[in-house]
Amino acid sequence: MKKFLVLSTLFLFVFASYAQEKKPLTYDDILKWNRITQRLISNDGNYIAYKAEPWKGDAVLKIIDKHGAEQSSIIGGNNAIISNNSRYVAFTIQPEEDQVRKLKLKKTDKDEMPLNKLGIYNIKTKELDTVKNLKSFKLPKQWDGFIAYQTKTELVKDTLRNDDEKVKKESKENGYMLNIRHLLSGEVIQIPYVTDYTFAKNKEVIAFVSTGNDNDVEPGVYYYNLLDADKTAVLPGKGTYKQLTINRTGSRLAFLADTTNNKKPAYHLYLWDQNDGLKDLASTHTIGIEEGWEISENGTLKIADKTQRLYFGIAPVKPEKDTTKLDEEIPELDVWHWNEPILHTEQLNTKKDDLKKSYLAVYHLENNKIVQLGRKSYSDIELINEGNADYMLAYSNLPYAVQRMWEGYPEHNDFYLININTGDREMFKQNVRAYPNASPNGKYIYWYNAMDTTWNTFNISKRKAYKISTPGVIQCADEINDIPNPASSYGTGGWLKNDEALLLYDRFDIWKVDPENKAEPLNITVDGRRSGTRYRLIDYDKDYYGFIKEEYKGVDVSKGLYLIGHNEVSREDGFYKIDIHNKKSPKVLLRGKFRLSAPIRAKDANVLVYTKEDFQEYPNLSVTENDYKKSHIVSDVNPQQKEFLWGTKELYTWTSLDGQKLEGLLVKPANFDPDKKYPLIVNFYEKSSQRLYDHQIPEAHRSTIDYHYYASHDYVIFNPDVYYKEGYPGESAFNCVMPGISKLISEGFIDEKAIAAQGHSWGGYQVAYLATRTNMFAAIESGAPVVNMFSAYGGIRLWTGRNRSFQYEHTQSRIGKSIWESPLRYLENSPLFTVDKITTPMLIMHNEDYGAVPFSQGVEFFIALRRLKKQAWLLNYNDADHWPTLVRDKYDFQIRLAQFFDHYLKGEPMPKWMEEGIPAVDKGFDLGY
């Protein structure tokens, strides 16, 4: 027994010494924290490239093998691409931040600042070659041997040249030097003054536009076969060339050209063919282009690969400015019309883009016919089967646009099929609150109807619609929707090959659904609802960001399907595999108390890269080659974490004031002592408890506290879930949050005189509301709150130009009715009208350049507090919008936030900015820390 006590004492001593060696985080430490912001794997699966990027400082590109052995480390490496043959990695190298900072302090001219470099790393030889003064680069993804890049030429004064002889300056308009490099031999071909260049997707061909020089290169459009070094002048001569486009096989080249010297360009549409040469297909006055319309330089050219079609953009001719009048003679005003389909502020918001808007047209090469497809009345259009189908899809909300102001989303729409050959349109669905899409092979149009929560299809050839899901069989709508708006769907897993079936999601399972109801829906994951596991498809035919690849034709089930699953009860994540035909529960490949990211897989090998994380473990890259039977971590981007005090995160439960069982997250400090009293910060938005195993990378956040910072400084953080009752958002927050705090106090480890709340935007509104209902809080930071729902209801969201009414009636604010139908709800949910009840010191962060919540809301709140002699401060970051985005401003906000809480919760001295303020004359000179 004595021996045991000695050992126990020794253990405690060692543990205490170890703990003392660790230190709390500072925001200077946090700015050095790395994130993995790019990851890619070579086609053969043998090499991985990833970018480790700190919040402030230089990113580092790491090139490693699949076992984690480092091949190269490049400071400033960015935008990496691995060649098709897995032999080269190409990337930009940005100038080091400290170098740039020193030059800026010296007031170095912008043109004299260092440019990026190009890095070309040979994986086999481990050699890195760099090229300075880089403007851009392109590396083919489906063939090998060449890389193309543009550089800015360093001019050296020619002593033989006359001083008054002008040298053509490289610029965006004049172009830069194009270098086409043979990767194996190192041979470089240079073409001066190139303004545009593009590779063919499947063929060793490049096309480019040059403005030419005075010697050996004539201006014009060129086609270059790289294998036989055959350069063809497609259209020589001075001009303006736009939208250079080459087809996949490199056999056709399309572009727009204006070869006149007119002040206003008049573009012609050209197509060059390897066999037929160059054809001037169309100009503004070609039959098929309506009077008052012209070929648009802002459109997009697309050469259909399976049909004789060339898609291009046209637009109404823009009115010319009256040059007989001075600007000061023309009134500057906006005329708002009560029945405009689009609110005038929205029009002003989109004016710049609208002036460049183009409408799709098609040139039929087999009969030299132009057909206009896009119209002003369409909200959007979509090519079907990459433009090879006989129809295209369009929808329009224009007949219902006015009511969108208060209804919000989803919008009412009419659906159309547009005949590619004639331009005729056919409405096949009217007034549906949905957005249509086309299946990959073009057999069907499909959509989710928000009003009856069903998925629907339309067979294009049969002209027949089908309702393929019903709530009684598949509950496709959000089951816990708590806003007064139609519930959104859980989405889809995509179509099977050949449009055979559509994979639909409910809350937990994946269903295989026949697009014409020829078979009963099949639950292919079987046990999702029973086990509480939310299964979702991992589709390796989609890229890293989840976007469908260009030639994507549907989900291939022949080798089984891989899934990622999240258990809503245990919060565990897992990877799974299923055979769609065997009706068995998914096979567990990897599962545990962590969060997983969807993996990326090598194109030509079964090598996968994924991340696994929890509150303590950063999501470093892991590699597996055998369906997760064995995995190994291949990155370590934050080894410094072991130097700092690190808290713990756990699930916490309590009961709301109206009897509902609730869950939330509780973060405790490192070396938590249940007999000690800790200050508490309550931070919440809506619901976060499913994020139990999220790592939450330390960050100088733009709008919220950093949990790791406060946990390392002996704070407890409580993040409660909130469930809302229509019409009573503020009361709902009170009902959910306050009993959770009370239960924590009863646990004995919370200092009930040192409790704070913090939230931003919707969270900012809720903590402001709580301040009017309780004096439990010692301090509250409320970021960008809406405090007056009456004035906000009629306001404008500057980000979009849209009116805010829909938000209060149908979305997040959850009032459910207009101000005329239920004025008292707007009154009782607005903190402004009960500001006199507030006793808590308030810190407000609201920026005047605000795009989401009007700045006037923060001003109204501050002015009311100021008049009533309540302690209040307002932070207004001049270069910020809804929140600070610049590192310097985020850093500053977090410093002030910590000082604010430390003063009121820990008794630290009040900083100068709080005690005295910062007079306008001292702005920029004294930070007042």
Side-chain angles (χ1 to χ4, degrees):
M1 183 68 179
K2 185 176 180 182
K3 183 178 180 182
F4 174 76
L5 289 173
V6 171
L7 289 173
S8 298
T9 304
L10 180 62
F11 171 78
L12 291 172
F13 175 77
V14 171
F15 181 80
S17 299
Y18 172 76
Q20 287 175 0
E21 290 176 4
K22 298 196 175 213
K23 55 188 178 183
L25 282 162
T26 69
Y27 280 104
D28 288 326
D29 297 321
I30 287 175
L31 290 182
K32 300 172 186 175
W33 226 263
N34 283 304
R35 302 150 291 146
I36 295 177
T37 53
Q38 185 186 18
R39 58 174 179 169
L40 60 160
I41 186 169
S42 61
N43 287 342
D44 66 6
N46 288 324
Y47 299 96
I48 296 160
Y50 68 90
K51 182 174 71 169
E53 184 175 5
W55 298 111
K56 181 177 175 57
D58 298 306
V60 177
L61 179 68
K62 298 277 189 178
I63 302 170
I64 60 176
D65 68 20
K66 64 183 179 182
H67 305 294
E70 185 173 300
Q71 308 297 299
S72 186
S73 179
I74 304 97
I75 297 174
N78 193 24
N79 298 325
I81 302 174
I82 302 178
S83 64
N84 178 65
N85 61 7
S86 305
R87 182 164 181 172
Y88 299 93
V89 186
F91 45 88
T92 60
I93 304 174
Q94 297 173 329
E96 293 189 26
E97 186 178 281
D98 189 55
Q99 176 194 7
V100 172
R101 183 176 182 276
K102 289 176 180 177
L103 291 172
K104 285 182 177 179
L105 286 172
K106 293 179 180 179
K107 309 296 182 185
T108 304
D109 189 87
K110 185 178 179 180
D111 290 339
E112 300 298 321
M113 295 294 285
L115 297 176
N116 292 341
K117 295 179 182 178
L118 172 66
I120 303 173
Y121 181 74
N122 188 319
I123 294 175
K124 302 300 180 185
T125 65
K126 298 187 178 182
E127 294 176 334
L128 173 63
D129 191 12
T130 60
V131 179
K132 59 184 179 180
N133 296 329
L134 179 72
K135 299 299 291 186
S136 69
F137 83 92
K138 294 180 182 180
L139 183 71
K141 293 183 179 180
Q142 297 192 6
W143 49 270
D144 299 295
F146 294 88
I147 185 172
Y149 52 92
Q150 283 184 294
T151 53
K152 182 179 179 181
T153 305
E154 289 185 344
L155 295 178
V156 179
K157 187 173 181 180
D158 187 344
T159 55
L160 299 178
R161 184 184 294 273
N162 295 326
D163 289 340
D164 58 350
E165 189 176 347
K166 292 184 178 179
V167 177
K168 183 177 178 180
K169 186 178 180 180
E170 289 182 327
S171 64
K172 183 178 179 181
E173 292 73 27
N174 290 337
Y176 295 93
M177 182 69 74
L178 176 65
N179 305 265
I180 305 170
R181 175 172 173 167
H182 192 286
L183 286 168
L184 197 57
S185 69
E187 180 184 355
V188 177
I189 300 166
Q190 292 189 314
I191 300 102
Y193 300 109
V194 169
T195 57
D196 193 10
Y197 64 106
T198 184
F199 283 120
K201 188 171 184 179
N202 299 333
K203 186 71 174 176
E204 293 88 341
V205 164
I206 190 171
F208 60 87
V209 175
S210 174
T211 61
N213 59 15
D214 298 332
N215 302 316
D216 53 339
V217 178
E218 189 177 357
V221 179
Y222 291 85
Y223 174 93
Y224 195 171
N225 187 317
L226 296 168
L227 292 184
D228 58 17
D230 182 21
K231 183 170 67 175
T232 302
V234 173
L235 180 58
K238 290 184 177 181
T240 303
Y241 301 95
K242 300 283 186 178
Q243 298 177 37
L244 188 65
T245 305
I246 194 166
N247 69 345
R248 290 176 184 166
T249 61
S251 60
R252 284 179 165 174
L253 180 65
F255 55 92
L256 304 182
D258 170 45
T259 55
T260 69
N261 290 319
N262 297 335
K263 185 176 181 181
K264 185 180 186 304
Y267 289 101
H268 287 232
L269 174 65
Y270 285 91
L271 180 71
W272 178 87
D273 188 283
Q274 276 184 318
N275 299 318
D276 299 331
L278 183 68
K279 292 182 180 179
D280 183 347
L281 299 181
S283 64
T284 298
H285 303 294
T286 302
I287 295 173
I289 298 179
E290 296 180 6
E291 184 71 26
W293 289 64
E294 62 184 356
I295 294 175
S296 171
E297 67 175 289
N298 300 305
T300 301
L301 297 186
K302 179 176 177 60
I303 304 169
D305 285 314
K306 298 177 182 177
T307 54
Q308 294 292 304
R309 297 171 187 165
L310 173 58
Y311 294 92
F312 64 103
I314 59 175
V317 176
K318 302 294 185 295
E320 303 234 6
K321 190 173 182 180
D322 187 349
T323 57
T324 65
K325 291 185 177 181
L326 298 170
D327 288 344
E328 61 204 57
E329 296 174 335
I330 302 172
E332 284 281 338
L333 87 161
D334 301 315
V335 178
W336 297 23
H337 190 282
W338 69 275
N339 204 29
E340 287 179 292
I342 308 298
L343 188 65
H344 202 80
T345 48
E346 288 187 68
Q347 296 177 45
L348 294 171
N349 187 269
T350 61
K351 179 181 176 181
K352 185 176 179 180
D353 291 333
D354 289 343
L355 288 171
K356 295 181 179 181
K357 191 171 183 178
S358 65
Y359 301 83
L360 195 65
V362 61
Y363 191 98
H364 292 276
L365 299 169
E366 71 273 14
N367 57 12
N368 299 318
K369 178 184 177 183
I370 293 176
V371 178
Q372 181 170 342
L373 303 169
R375 299 284 175 182
K376 293 180 180 179
S377 59
Y378 300 150
S379 302
D380 201 4
I381 56 175
E382 176 187 346
L383 291 174
I384 299 174
N385 194 12
E386 300 182 53
N388 294 305
D390 290 331
Y391 293 88
M392 66 177 301
L393 172 64
Y395 66 88
S396 174
N397 72 340
L398 204 62
Y400 321 101
V402 173
Q403 65 204 65
R404 185 185 67 170
M405 188 172 75
W406 59 89
E407 281 190 345
Y409 296 97
E411 300 168 309
H412 298 253
N413 284 297
D414 298 333
F415 300 169
Y416 297 92
L417 286 177
I418 304 169
N419 190 305
I420 296 287
N421 298 301
T422 65
D424 295 338
R425 72 179 188 176
E426 170 190 345
M427 183 193 294
F428 65 92
K429 213 68 182 173
Q430 187 174 21
N431 194 11
V432 187
R433 292 193 74 175
Y435 303 96
N437 292 282
S439 60
N441 288 274
K443 295 180 184 178
Y444 300 97
I445 308 299
Y446 66 106
W447 64 93
Y448 168 75
N449 187 328
M451 301 313 292
D452 64 6
T453 69
T454 64
W455 280 94
N456 301 262
T457 62
F458 181 80
N459 185 306
I460 295 174
S461 62
K462 294 179 181 178
R463 296 297 196 274
K464 187 174 180 181
Y466 303 88
K467 187 168 289 188
I468 62 171
S469 76
T470 59
V473 179
I474 311 175
Q475 179 56 270
C476 297
D478 182 1
E479 295 179 17
I480 56 175
N481 176 57
D482 62 358
I483 60 174
N485 203 51
S488 59
S489 79
Y490 288 107
T492 79
W495 287 80
L496 301 194
K497 295 282 187 182
N498 302 314
D499 294 350
E500 174 192 338
L502 180 61
L503 298 179
L504 297 181
Y505 293 145
D506 70 12
R507 181 175 176 179
F508 299 102
D509 288 299
I510 306 175
W511 296 74
K512 177 188 173 188
V513 181
D514 186 275
E516 297 183 13
N517 287 329
K518 293 177 181 177
E520 290 294 318
L522 176 65
N523 183 345
I524 65 172
T525 47
V526 183
D527 75 341
R529 186 169 293 274
R530 178 186 59 78
S531 66
T533 302
R534 182 174 67 238
Y535 293 112
R536 295 299 180 254
L537 181 68
I538 300 170
D539 192 347
Y540 295 114
D541 288 326
K542 294 183 180 179
D543 69 17
Y544 171 56
Y545 298 100
F547 297 116
I548 294 175
K549 294 178 181 178
E550 187 177 357
E551 298 176 57
Y552 181 79
K553 290 300 180 184
V555 179
D556 185 358
V557 301
S558 62
K559 297 180 181 179
L561 297 179
Y562 288 87
L563 312 175
I564 187 169
H566 173 78
N567 189 283
E568 291 191 359
V569 179
S570 70
R571 274 64 173 182
E572 294 181 350
D573 275 6
F575 289 134
Y576 303 83
K577 187 176 182 181
I578 58 169
D579 182 338
I580 199 170
H581 305 294
N582 68 11
K583 298 183 181 179
K584 292 182 180 179
S585 299
K587 177 184 176 182
V588 179
L589 303 177
L590 175 68
R591 184 174 61 197
K593 297 181 183 300
F594 40 69
R595 182 183 177 185
L596 296 169
S597 69
I600 56 174
R601 184 170 67 184
K603 179 182 175 184
D604 303 321
N606 190 32
V607 183
L608 298 100
V609 178
Y610 67 98
T611 65
K612 184 178 72 172
E613 66 184 271
D614 60 26
F615 191 68
Q616 280 78 29
E617 181 182 355
Y618 176 83
N620 276 298
L621 302 183
S622 291
V623 171
T624 181
E625 298 185 65
N626 48 17
D627 281 352
Y628 308 98
K629 291 176 184 175
K630 289 185 179 180
S631 297
H632 53 276
I633 297 174
V634 295
S635 70
D636 185 13
V637 300
N638 289 306
Q640 78 280 11
Q641 180 178 320
K642 62 181 177 289
E643 301 172 11
F644 297 98
L645 294 167
W646 211 260
T648 60
K649 181 162 62 172
E650 63 190 60
L651 205 59
Y652 193 74
T653 60
W654 69 100
T655 303
S656 70
L657 292 178
D658 52 6
Q660 184 177 4
K661 184 178 179 181
L662 299 176
E663 294 177 310
L665 301 175
L666 188 65
V667 176
K668 294 178 179 176
N671 309 318
F672 174 76
D673 180 354
D675 296 324
K676 181 179 175 181
K677 295 283 188 179
Y678 292 91
L680 172 70
I681 298 179
V682 183
N683 167 265
F684 64 100
Y685 191 77
E686 291 197 1
K687 297 175 182 67
S688 302
S689 67
Q690 292 299 327
R691 300 176 59 194
L692 176 62
Y693 295 116
D694 282 21
H695 181 71
Q696 295 175 264
I697 301 168
E699 177 184 357
H701 291 272
R702 61 193 184 184
S703 60
T704 189
I705 61 171
D706 180 79
Y707 285 20
H708 296 297
Y709 173 86
Y710 286 92
S712 77
H713 285 265
D714 267 358
Y715 281 91
V716 173
I717 302 105
F718 179 41
N719 186 191
D721 283 354
V722 178
Y723 288 81
Y724 299 92
K725 181 180 177 182
E726 181 180 327
Y728 303 95
E731 184 71 21
S732 298
F734 185 89
N735 285 345
C736 294
V737 174
M738 297 311 296
I741 299 173
S742 296
K743 185 183 176 186
L744 279 171
I745 292 173
S746 72
E747 302 271 7
F749 56 80
I750 297 298
D751 181 352
E752 58 187 285
K753 295 182 179 180
I755 300 174
Q758 193 273 327
H760 189 85
S761 195
W762 181 240
Y765 156 71
Q766 292 174 100
V767 297
Y769 178 88
L770 293 182
T772 68
R773 292 289 307 277
T774 179
N775 61 2
M776 180 179 285
F777 297 107
I780 290 178
E781 192 276 328
S782 172
V786 168
V787 294
N788 183 352
M789 290 192 176
F790 279 105
S791 59
Y793 177 86
I796 297 295
R797 295 178 70 90
L798 298 181
W799 276 347
T800 61
R802 293 195 60 189
N803 171 246
R804 297 176 54 84
S805 302
F806 74 93
Q807 180 174 332
Y808 297 91
E809 294 188 41
H810 290 288
T811 60
Q812 191 172 55
S813 297
R814 296 174 169 89
I815 300 298
K817 296 183 182 299
S818 71
I819 56 174
W820 305 281
E821 295 171 306
S822 191
L824 291 181
R825 287 190 183 179
Y826 285 82
L827 178 68
E828 64 190 56
N829 282 288
S830 297
L832 182 72
F833 301 106
T834 46
V835 165
D836 59 317
K837 304 292 192 298
I838 293 178
T839 60
T840 306
M842 303 293 297
L843 175 62
I844 307 162
M845 193 258 283
H846 212 132
N847 307 311
E848 61 187 303
D849 226 3
Y850 215 125
V853 180
F855 178 56
S856 57
Q857 290 289 310
V859 173
E860 287 186 55
F861 195 22
F862 178 78
I863 293 299
L865 290 165
R866 174 183 165 91
R867 172 171 178 170
L868 295 170
K869 298 189 181 300
K870 311 287 185 178
Q871 287 184 298
W873 296 262
L874 173 64
L875 304 179
N876 170 20
Y877 290 93
N878 301 160
D879 290 330
D881 196 314
H882 188 46
W883 36 52
T885 55
L886 299 174
V887 171
R888 69 171 196 215
D889 293 344
K890 292 192 291 183
Y891 177 88
D892 180 87
F893 172 61
Q894 291 297 334
I895 294 294
R896 297 185 195 282
L897 189 61
Q899 291 180 335
F900 176 70
F901 286 142
D902 284 347
H903 173 69
Y904 285 109
L905 275 67
K906 288 187 171 184
E908 296 291 335
M910 184 178 280
K912 181 180 177 182
W913 68 269
M914 288 178 63
E915 190 166 13
E916 302 175 17
I918 302 177
V921 292
D922 291 337
K923 178 180 176 180
F925 299 99
D926 185 2
L927 294 174
Y929 290 159

